[in-house]
Amino acid sequence: MKLLPERTAYRLFDFIADRLWSRRGAQVRQLEKNLLRVLGKDTPEAQLRAMSRRAMRSALRQYCEQFRIPTWSRERIMDSVDFPPEDIGRLKEALASGRGVIMALGHTGNYDHAGVWLVNFMGEGFTTVAEHLKPESVAEKFLDYRRGLGMEVLPHDGGPSVFGTLARRLRAGKGVALVADRDLSASGAQVTMFGEATRIAAGPAALAVQTGAVLLPVQLWYPSYGRMSIRVRPEIPVPAEGKRPEKVAVMCQQLADNYAAGIAAHPADWHMMQKFFLADLDPAKAPRAKPEPAESTSSSAEEAS
């Protein structure tokens, strides 16, 4: 795969994505259920299907680039990312503050592409948390891959020690990147997204409350093949008042608002093929959240995914 011409490689993975999409498997059907919340319940089926096909191509593009990114030169990596000067300034200021920086991302775009850019930008690695995959041989290869890109990778199922390690890195002024728009433990923070209740990992907010680190929402999407767009949104501050759980809850909702804004702007690059909204997870127990105000998406863990 590394030896194929780039255009040919992307076309091959688009073909694979189209074949998977046409089979209408459980993941494709769930993807469409999730996208329907973003596009609106009255979205025509043809429009929804077209969007889900684009989303499948976007998701498979990640795998194509996982084969190819390790062969990219530093120049190619740095030139392949669109990053507004204002956002770069925001990231530089946070890194220079000495408080430590938590970059909270969703399942959008290509995390590894953004991560290897960040390693080169910072001149050092950062710490992240990864879901433990099965079988063990696959898990080790995945961890080795990300470590080879310059990341320190902690296992998601590592217990309280993971939170403690992240806190230590932040107190040392380091960077931590967490994909946290889906709660893997079923004990995350309940928030509202697209007018419905869901849960996101509380880790980024909890770490910010405990350590005083800068919490920055990050949005990723594909502007074109071989390129990544990154937006770093303004810091989510720790509320001045309230008990710790209350502060975490407020910050998690603000983080969810940022996730929703990024997803709404680029729905084809949201790779959420699992059950996400509580109504899908357990219709009998899922409380309907109040609709979000129109402006809420622009405002802005102990378990960290």
Side-chain angles (χ1 to χ4, degrees):
M1 187 58 62
K2 296 177 183 178
L3 301 179
L4 284 176
E6 184 167 294
R7 194 170 181 180
T8 301
Y10 281 125
R11 283 179 173 174
L12 173 60
F13 275 80
D14 279 350
F15 174 78
I16 296 171
D18 288 348
R19 290 293 299 271
L20 293 173
W21 174 81
S22 67
R23 292 175 182 175
R24 305 286 299 157
Q27 287 190 318
V28 173
R29 296 195 302 273
Q30 186 59 53
L31 173 64
E32 291 182 351
K33 285 184 180 181
N34 295 334
L35 285 172
L36 197 60
R37 270 69 170 229
V38 182
L39 302 175
K41 297 293 180 64
D42 296 327
T43 301
E45 183 176 355
Q47 182 180 340
L48 177 63
R49 294 288 305 277
M51 184 62 72
S52 69
R53 183 185 182 190
R54 288 176 57 197
M56 283 297 293
R57 286 188 168 196
S58 177
L60 266 292
R61 192 180 309 176
Q62 290 184 91
Y63 297 104
C64 180
E65 291 178 351
Q66 282 179 348
F67 286 106
R68 304 183 67 85
I69 284 176
T71 69
W72 289 2
S73 67
R74 185 182 186 279
E75 291 72 24
R76 167 67 195 276
I77 290 167
M78 300 309 290
D79 291 343
S80 67
V81 168
D82 300 327
F83 206 145
E86 177 185 358
D87 293 37
I88 289 181
R90 185 175 290 133
L91 179 57
K92 283 183 175 179
E93 182 180 354
L95 292 169
S97 71
R99 295 165 53 196
V101 181
I102 307 161
M103 293 158 280
L105 306 92
H107 285 78
T108 58
N110 187 332
Y111 174 94
D112 294 315
H113 190 166
V116 73
W117 182 92
L118 182 62
V119 168
N120 282 275
F121 175 78
M122 293 172 60
E124 63 178 9
F126 61 88
T127 304
T128 188
V129 176
E131 182 178 2
H132 196 92
L133 303 175
K134 301 291 185 180
E136 289 296 326
S137 58
V138 173
E140 283 304 315
K141 288 182 180 179
F142 177 71
L143 294 176
D144 288 343
Y145 166 75
R146 284 191 166 169
R147 288 165 181 156
L149 297 179
M151 308 177 196
E152 178 189 21
V153 186
L154 306 177
H156 175 266
D157 55 0
S161 64
V162 172
F163 188 87
T165 300
L166 294 172
R168 287 193 295 274
R169 299 292 183 270
L170 292 168
R171 291 192 179 102
K174 303 297 184 179
V176 166
L178 300 172
V179 180
D181 64 338
R182 182 168 64 97
D183 176 51
L184 296 174
S185 67
S187 62
Q190 183 168 313
V191 296
T192 302
M193 289 179 65
F194 304 107
E196 289 198 38
T198 186
R199 284 190 295 265
I200 66 173
L207 284 165
V209 171
Q210 180 153 322
T211 68
V214 182
L215 175 55
L216 297 176
V218 179
Q219 299 168 354
L220 307 176
W221 70 92
Y222 288 118
S224 61
Y225 287 95
R227 300 198 63 79
M228 175 63 54
S229 286
I230 304 177
R231 292 301 309 272
V232 175
R233 309 307 301 169
E235 176 185 359
I236 296 178
V238 176
E241 299 180 355
K243 297 181 179 179
R244 185 173 182 274
E246 295 169 337
K247 293 178 179 181
V248 170
V250 169
M251 296 173 74
C252 282
Q253 183 58 59
Q254 291 178 327
L255 188 55
D257 292 342
N258 276 275
Y259 287 143
I263 293 166
H266 305 280
D269 292 323
W270 188 38
H271 310 145
M272 189 58 67
M273 301 184 194
Q274 300 83 15
K275 292 181 179 181
F276 179 73
F277 296 96
L278 297 193
D280 289 343
L281 288 164
D282 190 343
K285 296 181 180 179
R288 293 287 297 184
K290 295 180 180 179
E292 297 171 287
E295 68 274 15
S296 67
T297 57
S298 61
S299 65
S300 12
E302 267 81 4
E303 303 296 341
S305 59

